[in-house]
Amino acid sequence: MKKVILTSVFATFMLLFVSYNGNAQDKKATATTVQVIQFHSEHRCMTCNKIEELARIALKKYPTIPFSLVNADDKKNEKQCAQFQAYGSSLYLYNTKTKKIKNLTDMAFMNAGDQDKFISEFNKNMDAFLKS
């Protein structure tokens, strides 16, 4: 009788462990398919630089999500700029698997002067984007 109970308890713990570990891996895989891309012109303004700084701070909450800077004036980035319709300063969330794009440019410029508001809005958008 003891052996049956111990075996049942052991099997339950193993199932919980495997289930939990799999969910963590799924979330990590989802996060790594998402990236943040900031497009900028050759000559960057103070606000554009601030948006980069704040986006990097906000991304500390999402350590597996990469941040990329793309110079929209550089001819080698022409195709990527066309894909995002980004021809100047702009900020995007991008899912590499689904090709879904979320434009955060308006939010970024509206809140670049308020770090707490920027991070709060960025995180709200990121959390929603990761769930979709």
Side-chain angles (χ1 to χ4, degrees):
M1 182 70 171
K2 261 185 173 179
K3 193 173 190 178
V4 172
I5 292 173
L6 285 175
T7 304
S8 297
V9 169
F10 179 73
T12 302
F13 279 119
M14 287 302 292
L15 285 172
L16 287 173
F17 176 75
V18 170
S19 169
Y20 175 77
N21 193 25
N23 288 338
Q25 288 174 351
D26 288 345
K27 287 179 184 178
K28 185 176 181 181
T30 300
T32 57
T33 62
V34 173
Q35 56 185 264
V36 177
I37 304 170
Q38 182 182 8
F39 292 89
H40 63 85
S41 299
E42 187 70 34
H43 303 287
R44 298 177 68 194
C45 68
M46 190 172 17
T47 305
C48 183
N49 288 324
K50 188 66 175 178
I51 289 170
E52 176 188 356
E53 176 188 334
L54 295 175
R56 289 184 187 275
I57 291 169
L59 277 171
K60 289 180 181 176
K61 180 180 175 186
Y62 311 93
T64 62
I65 297 178
F67 179 84
S68 301
L69 278 175
V70 178
N71 183 344
D73 292 336
D74 190 336
K75 293 289 184 198
K76 72 178 183 183
N77 298 324
E78 219 171 275
K79 187 176 178 181
Q80 190 176 19
C81 290
Q83 175 188 0
F84 287 86
Q85 298 179 355
Y87 302 101
S89 296
S90 49
L91 184 67
Y92 294 91
L93 303 179
Y94 177 58
N95 186 313
T96 59
K97 279 190 178 177
T98 65
K99 306 297 184 213
K100 184 176 178 184
I101 297 171
K102 172 75 174 169
N103 188 338
L104 298 183
T105 304
D106 289 341
M107 180 286 300
F109 276 95
M110 295 280 294
N111 298 303
D114 183 343
Q115 180 172 332
D116 292 337
K117 177 90 172 173
F118 182 100
I119 292 171
S120 171
E121 290 297 313
F122 182 93
N123 289 345
K124 185 180 355 172
N125 280 282
M126 179 63 80
D127 291 342
F129 192 77
L130 289 171
K131 289 178 184 174
S132 64

